Amino acid sequence: MVEQKRLSNLSTSSQQVRLRKKRTKREWKPLEDRSCTDLPWFLLFTVFCVGMGSICGFTIVSGGASRLVFGYDSYGNTCGQRNEQIEGVRLSGLDQTDKKYVFFLDPCNIDIVQRKIKSMALCVSLCPYEEMKTYDHLKRFAMQNGSELCSYELAGHKYPGHPDRFDKCPKLPVPPSKALPVFNRCTPVDISCYAKFAEAVVTFVSDNSMLHRLIAGVMASKEIIVGLCLLALVLSMILMVIIRYISAVLVWILTALVVLGSLAGTSVLWWLYIDHRLTGNNTSTKEAKEEAREEEEVTRDNVQGLLVYAIAATVFTVILLLLMLFMRKRVALTIALFHVAGKVFIHLPLLTLQPFCTFLALVVFWLYWILVLLFLGTTGNPIQNEETGLTEFRLTGALQYLTWYHAVGLIWISEFILACQQMTVAGAVVTYYFTRDKGRLPVTPILSSVLRLVRYHLGTVAKGSFIITLVKIPRLLLMYIHNQLKGKENACARCMLKTCICCLWCLEKCLNYLNQNAYAATAINSTSFCTSARDAFVILVENALRVAAINAVGDFVLFLGKVLIVTSTAFAGVLLLNYQRDYAEWVLPLIIVCLFSFLVAHCFLSIFEIVVDVLFLCFAIDTKYNDGTPGREFYMDKALMEFVENSRKLERVVERGRSRPKEVVSEGAEMKPMAPGTSSA
């Protein structure tokens, strides 16, 4: 009985182990039946977004939004509406229903550091539309239009002789001004008084005439600038399709240049070493020892230095050549992946719209974030400035943390939007790869991927973007501290700060790459973020050399693509701007065009880079779990299949070469299959 129980327990435990293995085994193909992943993180992100919306609601309810839009005077009264009395602030609680515009007594009194006007502000019913040079003109304007431009306690008919007119009336002469369309601020028609502020902001221009010429060049060439920007957009979209045809040429040109450059550099260093050594030997025999002693020491140091450099260059060249020798197959894999990525864009043309959608989402969110930030600047409790005596609204107490919460929201939600793009692209590419018959692809794989993301995987994206946020916030804080302490800290502290910033930047880049592959694993297996990251990390470690080759060679090829687009656009710009003989006016339009073309090329080719990375992960999974036999057929494209077949042929040749010595040793023995059950003594 005891033996039967023991056997039954063993069988039960073995069945549990088999079931556990069966449950944990990865199918590694897009699942039809999916489930929600990282649901707690989705709920946490939802609560966080509700908090962001609550900050906006708080600014609206507390009056910060109305104060920003309608403006308020230096006594805390919002223009264009009734106001409540503020305790301890005189002239507050006034009815400003008829006074809808904000007028600054000295609009040119600007705080360069804080970037704001320090002048007293009043609510007026009409902005001064003509220049006023005397206080009698102020009196006449107040009597005729009912718009008093001096402080509220001064009556309009007393302006010319009132003793406080120099402090509580506008600075003469009062320039003509107009009201802004939305924000109801009276701004001078002639903005020349803002020259000092402009010089503080635009510090790289010291000559006003040069600035005017550059701006005039931009205005005269605005149609050309728009046309060149569209040209950069078209070139980027074309390059994404044709790069599969030119990738092989670019890769082998790059390889040849690197090898030839390293060999040439090493040869030059050895030639310099030999030349200096022969020269030093000749001079030592001809010149007297006393006169040439110092020169000999300098020559000896130079020769030793050149020897060290030559040896180091030789070691580097040998290592580089060995790497090129061992990684030549990986380079071929990079070319094959680029070829397949070009096909992906042909079958999934909506992928080219991803940069537009992501950019639009980011712009909308950033505009909302800036607007709420401005609302926060006019929200809070009224506080009198001790220096100027003017009333300002500031967040105090626990409300001060709203700004920090809002800042964290900028980083997390921006990273969330970028992660949604990565997950969408990964889902579409995974669907393409694991569909054997490309004619049976969904009508819109991109939209299907978006729907899967919204329905199942928003929690995974929220978790991945939060991890990036945790790394980015300390790095930004250290960068802020470094800028604030510039010129004040010692060399050691500066070095430590830069080292920490660099380490956090490297960690952020590594996590970005791992997150991207984790999203691809989630798109395949519908697993949680941590499980997907672990599975993707194992696959990447098993193919470390291939990853290094693809990232090194592929990134450089994409960089050359960006350079190609920028230079082509710049060349077209030079041809189109050639009719403007003032070459100084070319500078700003060309800079604008080159920056925009690089931004566009980076956005489009970053999508191409994501496609290549996801294809590589799918390829690594395909080769690990399938071998091409019946029932375990490959999913890969023909280009990748050719790469696998060539690799297998090379492996067979290598194995055949290794088995030849064994055949020589066993010569004379009978060569026949070993029967089952036999053993050798």
Side-chain angles (χ1 to χ4, degrees), residues 136-152:
D136 289 324
H137 292 163
L138 293 177
K139 173 184 175 182
R140 188 184 310 115
F141 183 79
M143 295 296 101
Q144 292 178 355
N145 302 292
S147 182
E148 299 178 348
L149 302 181
C150 294
S151 186
Y152 302 136

Side-chain angles (χ1 to χ4, degrees), residues 412-426:
W412 191 3
I413 297 179
S414 298
E415 292 295 332
F416 177 83
I417 294 173
L418 294 174
C420 286
Q421 172 185 270
Q422 295 176 353
M423 177 69 87
T424 301
V425 174

Side-chain angles (χ1 to χ4, degrees), residues 87-325:
E87 185 179 355
V89 179
R90 64 184 186 88
L91 298 178
S92 62
L94 301 179
D95 184 3
Q96 307 284 28
T97 306
D98 298 330
K99 300 179 180 180
K100 299 180 179 180
Y101 304 102
V102 180
F103 174 73
F104 298 96
L105 301 189
D106 186 7
C108 296
N109 186 10
I110 300 173
D111 187 349
I112 301 297
V113 178
Q114 299 294 329
R115 304 289 198 272
K116 65 180 181 180
I117 299 175
K118 296 172 62 177
S119 169
M120 177 183 289
L122 300 173
C123 295
V124 298
S125 57
L126 183 66
C127 297
Y129 50 82
E130 59 183 4
E131 186 180 18
M132 302 179 190
K133 299 181 179 180
T134 64
Y135 291 104
D136 289 324
H137 292 163
L138 293 177
K139 173 184 175 182
R140 188 184 310 115
F141 183 79
M143 295 296 101
Q144 292 178 355
N145 302 292
S147 182
E148 299 178 348
L149 302 181
C150 294
S151 186
Y152 302 136
E153 66 265 29
L154 302 185
H157 63 278
K158 296 182 179 181
Y159 287 170
H162 200 283
D164 295 335
R165 65 183 182 277
F166 301 105
D167 298 328
K168 298 184 179 180
C169 287
K171 182 180 179 181
L172 299 177
V174 179
S177 60
K178 291 183 179 180
L180 291 176
V182 177
F183 293 98
N184 300 327
R185 268 72 168 179
C186 295
T187 56
V189 177
D190 183 11
I191 60 173
S192 60
C193 68
Y194 294 145
K196 184 178 179 182
F197 180 72
E199 290 177 5
V201 176
V202 189
T203 56
F204 63 91
V205 178
S206 58
D207 186 4
N208 290 330
S209 62
M210 177 61 70
L211 176 62
H212 293 158
R213 290 170 64 190
L214 292 175
I215 295 176
V218 173
M219 296 304 296
S221 310
K222 55 182 180 294
E223 293 86 2
I224 296 177
I225 293 174
V226 174
L228 291 173
C229 292
L230 292 176
L231 176 63
L233 185 64
V234 173
L235 289 177
S236 300
M237 298 176 69
I238 294 175
L239 183 63
M240 293 173 67
V241 178
I242 69 171
I243 197 172
R244 63 177 175 142
Y245 300 110
I246 63 175
S247 59
V249 178
L250 292 177
V251 167
W252 293 121
I253 289 176
L254 166 64
T255 305
L257 289 176
V258 170
V259 172
L260 293 177
S262 60
L263 290 174
T266 304
S267 302
V268 169
L269 286 173
W270 279 111
W271 176 78
L272 290 174
Y273 165 72
I274 296 172
D275 181 67
H276 278 69
R277 186 169 184 178
L278 293 176
T279 303
N281 292 334
N282 292 333
T283 55
S284 63
T285 57
K286 294 180 180 180
E287 297 181 1
K289 294 183 178 180
E290 295 180 358
E291 296 177 357
R293 185 175 299 171
E294 295 181 359
E295 186 175 350
E296 287 179 0
E297 292 179 357
V298 174
T299 304
R300 191 182 302 111
D301 293 338
N302 291 336
V303 170
Q304 290 178 353
L306 285 173
L307 178 61
V308 172
Y309 296 151
I311 294 174
T314 303
V315 173
F316 173 78
T317 302
V318 171
I319 295 175
L320 182 63
L321 292 176
L322 291 175
L323 286 176
M324 290 293 181
L325 180 64

